[in-house]
Amino acid sequence: MAESKIIGCSKLIAQRGLSIAFAESATAGWLCSEFALTEESGKVLKGGIACYDASLKVSLLGVPQELIDKYTPESMEVTREMACRLKTIIDSDIQVTVTGLTTPGGSETPEKPVGTMFVFALICGREASFRQVFSGSCEEVIHQTIEATAELLIAALSKT
Protein backbone atom coordinates (compact mmCIF):
# COMPACT_ATOMS: atom_id res chain seq x y z
CA MET A 1 0.00 0.00 0.00
CA ALA A 2 1.23 3.50 -0.82
CA GLU A 3 2.28 5.87 1.92
CA SER A 4 -0.67 8.01 3.10
CA LYS A 5 0.83 11.32 1.97
CA ILE A 6 1.41 9.88 -1.51
CA ILE A 7 -2.23 8.76 -1.62
CA GLY A 8 -3.36 12.29 -0.77
CA CYS A 9 -0.97 13.79 -3.27
CA SER A 10 -2.13 11.45 -6.03
CA LYS A 11 -5.77 12.35 -5.32
CA LEU A 12 -4.92 16.04 -5.51
CA ILE A 13 -3.11 15.58 -8.84
CA ALA A 14 -6.12 13.64 -10.20
CA GLN A 15 -8.56 16.32 -8.98
CA ARG A 16 -6.53 18.91 -10.89
CA GLY A 17 -6.51 16.73 -14.02
CA LEU A 18 -2.71 16.64 -14.08
CA SER A 19 -0.10 13.99 -14.81
CA ILE A 20 3.27 13.26 -13.20
CA ALA A 21 6.60 11.72 -14.24
CA PHE A 22 9.80 10.95 -12.36
CA ALA A 23 13.56 10.71 -12.89
CA GLU A 24 15.11 9.22 -9.79
CA SER A 25 18.65 8.58 -8.78
CA ALA A 26 19.02 7.92 -5.04
CA THR A 27 15.45 6.65 -4.65
CA ALA A 28 15.88 4.36 -7.70
CA GLY A 29 12.22 4.41 -8.75
CA TRP A 30 10.72 3.95 -5.29
CA LEU A 31 8.91 7.30 -5.46
CA CYS A 32 7.34 6.42 -8.81
CA SER A 33 6.38 3.00 -7.44
CA GLU A 34 4.53 4.63 -4.55
CA PHE A 35 2.37 6.54 -7.04
CA ALA A 36 1.75 3.29 -8.94
CA LEU A 37 0.14 1.86 -5.79
CA THR A 38 -2.56 4.56 -5.57
CA GLU A 39 -6.10 4.26 -6.91
CA GLU A 40 -5.47 7.23 -9.21
CA SER A 41 -2.29 5.79 -10.76
CA GLY A 42 -3.91 5.20 -14.14
CA LYS A 43 -5.10 8.80 -14.26
CA VAL A 44 -1.97 10.59 -13.05
CA LEU A 45 1.19 8.50 -13.48
CA LYS A 46 2.99 8.76 -16.83
CA GLY A 47 6.14 6.87 -15.83
CA GLY A 48 9.63 7.19 -14.53
CA ILE A 49 13.31 6.70 -15.18
CA ALA A 50 15.70 5.26 -12.61
CA CYS A 51 19.11 6.75 -13.29
CA TYR A 52 21.07 5.71 -10.24
CA ASP A 53 24.47 5.90 -11.91
CA ALA A 54 25.58 9.38 -12.95
CA SER A 55 26.35 8.16 -16.48
CA LEU A 56 22.63 7.58 -17.04
CA LYS A 57 21.85 11.17 -16.14
CA VAL A 58 24.01 12.04 -19.14
CA SER A 59 23.07 9.27 -21.59
CA LEU A 60 19.33 8.98 -20.85
CA LEU A 61 18.39 12.47 -19.72
CA GLY A 62 21.02 14.51 -21.55
CA VAL A 63 22.38 16.27 -18.47
CA PRO A 64 25.67 17.86 -19.54
CA GLN A 65 28.69 16.05 -18.10
CA GLU A 66 30.21 19.47 -17.38
CA LEU A 67 27.34 20.26 -14.99
CA ILE A 68 27.89 16.98 -13.13
CA ASP A 69 31.64 17.60 -12.99
CA LYS A 70 31.15 21.12 -11.63
CA TYR A 71 28.42 20.43 -9.05
CA THR A 72 28.58 16.61 -8.49
CA PRO A 73 25.86 14.12 -9.46
CA GLU A 74 24.16 14.74 -6.11
CA SER A 75 23.38 18.46 -6.23
CA MET A 76 20.44 20.79 -6.71
CA GLU A 77 21.90 22.05 -9.99
CA VAL A 78 21.93 18.54 -11.47
CA THR A 79 18.55 17.69 -9.97
CA ARG A 80 17.02 20.80 -11.55
CA GLU A 81 18.55 20.00 -14.93
CA MET A 82 17.17 16.47 -14.71
CA ALA A 83 13.65 17.88 -14.30
CA CYS A 84 14.07 20.21 -17.27
CA ARG A 85 15.32 17.32 -19.42
CA LEU A 86 12.62 14.91 -18.18
CA LYS A 87 9.91 17.15 -19.62
CA THR A 88 11.29 16.51 -23.12
CA ILE A 89 11.30 12.72 -22.61
CA ILE A 90 8.02 12.05 -20.79
CA ASP A 91 5.22 14.49 -21.58
CA SER A 92 3.60 15.33 -18.26
CA ASP A 93 2.34 18.30 -16.26
CA ILE A 94 4.60 17.58 -13.28
CA GLN A 95 8.21 16.44 -13.43
CA VAL A 96 9.86 15.29 -10.20
CA THR A 97 13.53 14.45 -9.88
CA VAL A 98 15.59 13.14 -6.97
CA THR A 99 19.31 12.84 -6.28
CA GLY A 100 21.12 12.39 -3.02
CA LEU A 101 23.29 10.34 -0.75
CA THR A 102 21.60 7.39 0.93
CA THR A 103 24.85 5.49 1.52
CA PRO A 104 28.57 6.36 1.68
CA GLY A 105 30.65 6.41 -1.49
CA GLY A 106 29.17 9.32 -3.43
CA SER A 107 30.08 12.98 -3.25
CA GLU A 108 29.56 13.32 0.50
CA THR A 109 31.47 16.01 2.39
CA PRO A 110 31.10 17.52 5.87
CA GLU A 111 28.76 20.11 4.26
CA LYS A 112 26.89 17.39 2.33
CA PRO A 113 26.80 14.28 4.52
CA VAL A 114 25.17 10.94 3.80
CA GLY A 115 21.44 11.53 4.17
CA THR A 116 21.48 14.72 2.07
CA MET A 117 18.70 14.56 -0.49
CA PHE A 118 17.76 16.91 -3.33
CA VAL A 119 14.27 17.02 -4.85
CA PHE A 120 13.24 19.28 -7.68
CA ALA A 121 9.76 19.54 -9.20
CA LEU A 122 8.40 21.41 -12.18
CA ILE A 123 4.67 21.79 -11.64
CA CYS A 124 3.04 23.17 -14.77
CA GLY A 125 6.30 25.06 -15.31
CA ARG A 126 6.59 26.37 -11.74
CA GLU A 127 9.58 25.32 -9.67
CA ALA A 128 9.51 23.75 -6.20
CA SER A 129 12.43 22.09 -4.49
CA PHE A 130 14.17 21.15 -1.29
CA ARG A 131 17.57 20.09 -0.01
CA GLN A 132 17.28 18.24 3.25
CA VAL A 133 19.52 16.08 5.41
CA PHE A 134 17.74 13.01 6.75
CA SER A 135 19.08 10.52 9.25
CA GLY A 136 18.81 6.78 9.53
CA SER A 137 19.40 3.80 7.29
CA CYS A 138 19.26 3.97 3.50
CA GLU A 139 15.64 2.78 3.62
CA GLU A 140 14.72 5.34 6.27
CA VAL A 141 16.29 8.17 4.26
CA ILE A 142 14.32 7.11 1.18
CA HIS A 143 11.05 6.90 3.14
CA GLN A 144 11.63 10.37 4.59
CA THR A 145 12.42 11.71 1.11
CA ILE A 146 9.21 10.23 -0.30
CA GLU A 147 7.15 11.78 2.50
CA ALA A 148 8.84 15.17 2.14
CA THR A 149 8.32 15.08 -1.64
CA ALA A 150 4.61 14.42 -1.19
CA GLU A 151 4.45 17.37 1.23
CA LEU A 152 6.28 19.59 -1.28
CA LEU A 153 3.90 18.65 -4.10
CA ILE A 154 0.78 19.04 -1.95
CA ALA A 155 1.90 22.49 -0.79
CA ALA A 156 2.71 23.61 -4.34
CA LEU A 157 -0.53 22.21 -5.80
CA SER A 158 -2.58 23.82 -3.05
CA LYS A 159 -1.36 27.22 -4.24
CA THR A 160 -2.88 26.74 -7.70
Side-chain angles (χ1 to χ4, degrees):
M1 181 174 184
E3 295 192 24
S4 62
K5 288 186 180 176
I6 294 292
I7 293 169
C9 184
S10 186
K11 286 180 180 178
L12 188 56
I13 293 168
Q15 288 169 0
R16 301 273 196 282
L18 302 173
S19 61
I20 190 167
F22 300 89
E24 300 177 64
S25 181
T27 50
W30 199 334
L31 183 56
C32 183
S33 294
E34 286 289 322
F35 275 85
L37 296 172
T38 68
E39 287 183 25
E40 296 79 14
S41 62
K43 297 175 187 168
V44 303
L45 182 59
K46 287 289 189 120
I49 298 169
C51 48
Y52 197 82
D53 189 85
S55 67
L56 295 177
K57 293 174 178 118
V58 176
S59 64
L60 288 178
L61 293 174
V63 173
Q65 183 65 51
E66 299 76 30
L67 193 68
I68 291 172
D69 293 343
K70 182 174 181 179
Y71 295 106
T72 77
E74 303 89 10
S75 64
M76 188 57 75
E77 293 83 1
V78 168
T79 311
R80 181 184 188 282
E81 186 67 19
M82 288 169 61
C84 294
R85 302 289 178 138
L86 179 61
K87 175 68 174 161
T88 68
I89 297 169
I90 302 175
D91 185 34
S92 59
D93 302 302
I94 303 167
Q95 299 80 42
V96 178
T97 54
V98 183
T99 67
L101 300 159
T102 59
T103 59
S107 64
E108 68 269 12
T109 65
E111 297 79 33
K112 187 173 65 171
V114 170
T116 305
M117 299 297 288
F118 300 92
V119 172
F120 193 92
L122 284 172
I123 304 162
C124 300
R126 288 178 294 114
E127 298 181 0
S129 64
F130 70 80
R131 174 201 191 271
Q132 195 161 340
V133 180
F134 298 108
S135 60
S137 67
C138 175
E139 184 175 350
E140 290 167 332
V141 168
I142 290 172
H143 276 290
Q144 292 169 74
T145 303
I146 289 169
E147 187 170 296
T149 302
E151 291 170 0
L152 174 78
L153 292 171
I154 290 167
L157 287 165
S158 296
K159 293 177 183 176
T160 60

